[in-house]
Amino acid sequence: MAPLKHLEKENPIIDVSFRDFCSSHGILTVEDFLLHDLYELAAFAERQKNADRLKEGITLLISLIELQCRPLLNGMELLEDLQCNKHTLSTGDKGADSLLQNGLREGQLTELVGPSSSGKTQFCMQAAASVAEKHVGGVLYIDTGNSFSARRIAQYICSSSDAALVQKVMSRISCHTVFDIYTMFDTLQCLEVTLKSQGQMNVNEYRLRLLVVDSISSLITPILGGSGSQGRALMVAIGYLLKKLAHEHNIAILVTNHTVAAGEDGKTKPALGETWKSIPHVRLMLSREHNNNNCTISILKHTSMPSGQTVKTMTLKDN
């Protein structure tokens, strides 16, 4: 999260006096500002001796935030962007690719839901290997539970007997370990800066094409306790940032989520609740059959396909 102090260099009105006023209302970062009731904040500013300057600072901060918002696009522009820039990326699994109409779509956030040991991490690593090899693209794998295995990913590379090819493909995959939501914000904001600078310099070699977060629920669940709204607001903010990166930089984003009990009948549902439900473009449920290692993927939500479609997919070798 960007501290307000970082804005002062280019915007002198966001000075110590303005930041002190904001901090007295619990506002230390841009995200805090967005979560606050701005009408209430402006009303408090009216009562101060330097009211005009404080209100000018509030107005400036709002305008700076609005500048970061995407411009409105009409239907034809969106269709052209989809056809020209939003390609599909193979997951490395024929069944999953068939279900998803050729794979993960760039510009979209796909969520893979499943209980523990259902194969979510294996699916993510197989997709990472597939994108790095078949699409000659860069992959960023954000690991929140020490589950990343370079050896396992190497096993998914088709010509794994070719050591030179394995080394080349593996060099396109980067892993970053993150254990809390605030580090996640920092990681994604640094990534956004890097992607923008690469775009300005026309750096296309091994362009980042897939971002994996395994698992998003491990970061969000700890902040959702209690009756306060801050945890939900942070959850929505991280979802928005992921979708923003996907759309603006033509990245396919794959996140994993666990399941929770839905009632006394033993059924389960995706974790993180109704607020998170609206964030992913695509939601998939991964389940592992009893008495064997076969897996099934079903569509819970999709932008262009009906829910309920199911396919038999990969066979797990182990947990």
Side-chain angles (χ1 to χ4, degrees):
M1 295 186 292
L4 296 181
K5 186 177 181 179
H6 289 181
L7 303 175
E8 183 180 5
K9 185 176 180 180
E10 296 181 0
N11 308 280
I13 198 167
I14 305 179
D15 56 13
V16 174
S17 176
F18 180 79
R19 295 199 305 276
D20 286 345
F21 168 73
C22 288
S23 64
S24 68
H25 295 276
I27 299 173
L28 303 176
T29 68
V30 174
E31 284 78 9
D32 294 337
F33 181 81
L34 285 170
L35 295 174
H36 203 85
D37 186 330
L38 300 185
Y39 292 104
E40 180 184 84
L41 190 66
F44 278 113
E46 283 277 8
R47 304 171 195 167
Q48 309 303 313
K49 292 181 179 179
N50 57 340
D52 290 341
R53 187 169 179 83
L54 290 176
K55 288 190 293 182
E56 187 180 350
I58 292 172
T59 301
L60 174 63
L61 198 46
I62 292 172
S63 67
L64 291 174
I65 293 169
E66 288 177 343
L67 285 174
Q68 298 300 314
C69 296
R70 295 181 310 201
L72 296 176
L73 299 175
N74 63 40
M76 282 305 301
E77 290 172 324
L78 289 170
L79 180 60
E80 183 180 354
D81 179 53
L82 177 67
Q83 294 173 338
C84 298
N85 302 315
K86 304 297 193 286
H87 308 293
T88 53
L89 308 176
S90 172
T91 65
D93 181 88
K94 292 181 179 179
D97 286 352
S98 175
L99 181 68
L100 296 173
Q101 296 179 345
N102 298 321
L104 303 170
R105 173 74 64 177
E106 292 178 331
Q108 290 189 344
L109 181 123
T110 299
E111 178 190 33
L112 183 66
V113 181
S116 177
S117 299
S118 59
K120 299 187 298 296
T121 295
Q122 176 171 315
F123 185 95
C124 290
M125 291 191 290
Q126 183 169 326
S130 176
V131 171
E133 179 181 12
K134 298 177 182 177
H135 301 281
V136 194
V139 177
L140 175 59
Y141 197 113
I142 296 181
D143 179 18
T144 71
N146 287 325
S147 57
F148 179 85
S149 171
R151 179 175 296 179
R152 178 70 68 84
I153 289 180
Q155 293 174 352
Y156 290 122
I157 300 172
C158 295
S159 303
S160 56
S161 59
D162 186 340
L165 176 62
V166 171
Q167 184 176 5
K168 184 179 293 185
V169 173
M170 292 298 292
S171 68
R172 300 170 191 156
I173 303 173
S174 300
C175 179
H176 193 88
T177 303
V178 171
F179 294 124
D180 63 78
I181 195 72
Y182 302 103
T183 306
M184 182 68 169
F185 271 112
D186 291 339
T187 300
L188 294 180
Q189 286 166 350
C190 288
L191 174 62
E192 185 174 26
V193 171
T194 300
L195 292 172
K196 285 182 178 178
S197 64
Q198 289 178 346
Q200 292 169 353
M201 297 170 60
N202 294 318
V203 177
N204 293 315
E205 185 178 9
Y206 303 152
R207 174 178 74 81
L208 181 63
R209 305 195 71 176
L210 175 65
L211 169 61
V212 176
V213 184
D214 184 27
S215 74
I216 194 69
S217 52
S218 295
L219 301 177
I220 295 175
T221 301
I223 65 173
L224 292 180
S227 58
S229 60
Q230 184 178 14
R232 289 191 295 275
L234 289 172
M235 176 174 66
V236 171
I238 205 75
Y240 167 77
L241 184 52
L242 286 168
K243 291 171 76 172
K244 182 172 181 281
L245 287 169
H247 176 77
E248 294 184 354
H249 300 283
N250 302 322
I251 302 169
I253 295 184
L254 175 63
V255 305
T256 64
N257 185 9
H258 64 277
T259 57
V260 294
E264 297 180 356
D265 56 2
K267 291 184 178 181
T268 61
K269 64 179 181 180
L272 304 183
E274 292 297 313
T275 304
W276 174 263
K277 181 180 178 180
S278 63
I279 291 176
H281 297 94
V282 177
R283 302 191 94 185
L284 306 173
M285 176 67 80
L286 178 62
S287 57
R288 186 174 180 177
E289 297 178 7
H290 298 296
N291 303 321
N292 61 50
N293 289 328
N294 294 330
C295 288
T296 300
I297 293 182
S298 57
I299 295 176
L300 300 180
K301 170 187 172 183
H302 200 288
T303 55
S304 59
M305 289 185 287
S307 60
Q309 296 188 54
T310 300
V311 67
K312 301 288 184 182
T313 182
M314 58 190 176
T315 299
L316 297 177
K317 297 179 180 178
D318 52 53
N319 292 341

